[in-house]
Amino acid sequence: MVFLYHGRDAGLTLHVLKKDMAKKGEDYLSSTRYDAYRDPVGDVVSDCLSLSLFGDKKVVVLSNCYFLTQAIKSAKGPVKEAEQDYAGLLSLPGLSDASFDLYLLVPGLLSPSLELVKGLKKAGVSIKECLAPKEEDFLALGYQRAKERNKTIDKAALSLLLSRTGGDYLLFCSYLDLLLTYTDAVRAEDVERLVYKPLEDKSYECVSHLLKGETGKALLSYRNVRAQGTEALLALLSFVSQFRTMALVLSLNRQGEGNEEIARTLSKKGSPVKPGRIYYMLKDMAFLPMESLLSILTDLGDIEEKVKLEKDDPDVLLELFLLDFRKYRKAR
């Protein structure tokens, strides 16, 4: 049979696939694995159709099936698209009493408009969307893993861990294992000590200080970000993302959309956003008109250009930007 797994969180999708395979008595590590970025689809089709040396059912996994999603617009690999045997792939689900199980792992959500996706659905491929766990699912997972190790972790620690890992399943699990190795009773202060804030949160903290007129705190926040090993150019791009989001929020607010509507709109474009975040963002922007936001984005674009083309020092340019930020704020 042919099985297809897809979802927004690639780590979670792989986890679900492994779990389903184990239920059927199949071992992911013992399977024959291919990567669509480097292995031709024709090789996978041939492997599925060839006889097993030991007479048992073949288990084949093809990961990174970029050709089934539009989330990844270009995939550089050794195989040209014109040489891919997609017709052969479409023929596999129709085989009766197949002597193989083929698992297709998609790095994102399926694109229903693609002809290949339509063909696989018509052929009867078993499709499973791996939905992102809810907050209570992450909390239950944390409690369960701690109990299995005869350790404890409180809700405050789990909530902070979830916040700092941004709902990324594998990242959450990796840091959870680290924390449970570090101490027998995990508390919020342990998470503070061992798990850095994601760059998005750290840059938002810096921007929030700017919007409140706290230039010194914003400068200190930026230097802390750099001290933790974040490249200056990444910090710059994160600032651009923050101000672009603010411009979108302000625009939607001016169109009459409420906080919940805006949160839903932003959540569709990326990570989940809560209405409370929108409320505080609009509150912070009380003294920042749309004209200033557009000027900020233009100036940050100029900084990026100077860094990339003229090899200027990004730290100097960004610190000057922070120190001179008052010019963008309208008077109280």
Side-chain angles (χ1 to χ4, degrees):
M1 289 188 64
V2 180
F3 305 87
L4 191 154
Y5 288 74
H6 68 118
R8 295 184 183 279
D9 187 329
L12 174 65
T13 304
L14 178 60
H15 169 77
V16 173
L17 178 143
K18 289 180 178 179
K19 192 174 181 179
D20 286 354
M21 290 179 69
K23 288 179 181 178
K24 296 167 59 179
E26 298 174 343
D27 182 14
Y28 173 79
L29 294 177
S30 299
S31 66
T32 303
R33 297 191 297 279
Y34 293 89
D35 187 332
Y37 284 139
R38 64 171 184 270
D39 299 314
V41 170
D43 287 358
V44 179
V45 174
S46 297
D47 194 348
C48 290
L49 296 177
S50 64
L51 295 175
S52 170
L53 294 176
F54 303 101
D56 52 353
K57 176 178 278 192
K58 282 193 169 187
V59 180
V60 181
V61 177
L62 176 60
S63 62
N64 292 320
C65 295
Y66 64 86
F67 45 81
L68 298 175
T69 178
Q70 291 181 340
I72 300 175
K73 296 183 178 179
S74 61
K76 296 180 180 179
V79 187
K80 296 179 180 179
E81 284 297 295
E83 299 173 358
Q84 292 281 35
D85 185 14
Y86 294 138
L89 182 63
L90 283 172
S91 70
L92 294 178
L95 298 177
S96 59
D97 301 322
S99 59
F100 63 87
D101 276 344
L102 171 62
Y103 295 90
L104 303 175
L105 195 57
V106 183
L109 292 175
L110 284 179
S111 178
S113 63
L114 294 177
E115 291 301 320
L116 185 55
V117 172
K118 294 177 182 178
L120 289 171
K121 287 182 177 180
K122 187 176 181 180
V125 168
S126 175
I127 299 176
K128 186 168 188 176
E129 180 180 351
C130 304
L131 300 174
K134 298 179 181 178
E135 182 177 355
E136 54 266 31
D137 297 325
F138 278 107
L139 297 180
L141 174 62
Y143 291 135
Q144 179 186 350
R145 289 208 175 184
K147 185 177 180 180
E148 289 172 352
R149 301 188 183 191
N150 295 318
K151 298 186 178 186
T152 61
I153 183 168
D154 64 22
K155 184 176 180 180
L158 282 171
S159 296
L160 182 58
L161 175 60
L162 179 58
S163 173
R164 294 204 169 181
T165 53
D168 184 301
Y169 182 82
L170 287 186
L171 194 60
F172 178 88
C173 291
S174 297
Y175 273 119
L176 177 60
D177 289 340
L178 173 65
L179 289 162
L180 292 173
T181 302
Y182 174 73
T183 179
D184 291 340
V186 182
R187 300 295 178 260
E189 52 266 30
D190 301 312
V191 181
E192 288 277 3
R193 187 178 297 113
L194 296 180
V195 185
Y196 283 139
K197 290 182 180 179
L199 177 58
E200 180 184 356
D201 285 355
K202 290 185 287 187
S203 64
Y204 181 77
E205 178 184 88
C206 181
V207 169
S208 183
H209 286 312
L210 288 176
L211 297 177
K212 294 173 184 175
E214 300 169 342
T215 305
K217 290 182 179 180
L219 190 60
L220 179 61
S221 178
Y222 171 74
R223 289 177 176 173
N224 286 338
V225 168
R226 293 286 287 116
Q228 291 174 2
T230 301
E231 294 291 335
L233 192 56
L234 284 179
L236 167 63
L237 296 177
S238 183
F239 287 153
V240 171
S241 176
Q242 292 289 341
F243 285 111
R244 186 183 293 124
T245 299
M246 289 181 176
L248 177 58
V249 168
L250 189 55
S251 176
L252 293 173
N253 177 258
R254 287 183 175 182
Q255 294 174 30
E257 291 195 16
N259 294 348
E260 292 190 2
E261 292 175 294
I262 296 174
R264 282 196 295 269
T265 299
L266 294 184
S267 296
K268 291 177 183 178
K269 298 178 179 295
S271 302
V273 178
K274 294 182 178 180
R277 180 74 173 266
I278 304 300
Y279 168 80
Y280 285 109
M281 191 179 294
L282 288 169
K283 187 177 180 180
D284 284 345
M285 289 191 290
F287 301 97
L288 196 69
M290 179 62 79
E291 295 74 15
S292 293
L293 281 170
L294 296 178
S295 294
I296 289 169
L297 289 170
T298 299
D299 291 346
L300 288 174
D302 289 342
I303 291 175
E304 182 180 2
E305 187 174 295
K306 289 177 180 178
V307 171
K308 291 181 176 180
L309 301 182
E310 301 176 21
K311 306 302 180 184
D312 285 1
D313 189 321
D315 282 318
V316 171
L317 294 178
L318 280 174
E319 291 198 5
L320 286 173
F321 167 79
L322 298 178
L323 290 170
D324 200 29
F325 191 83
R326 286 190 178 91
K327 71 180 182 182
Y328 301 110
R329 301 175 75 247
K330 65 181 181 181
R332 292 177 181 268

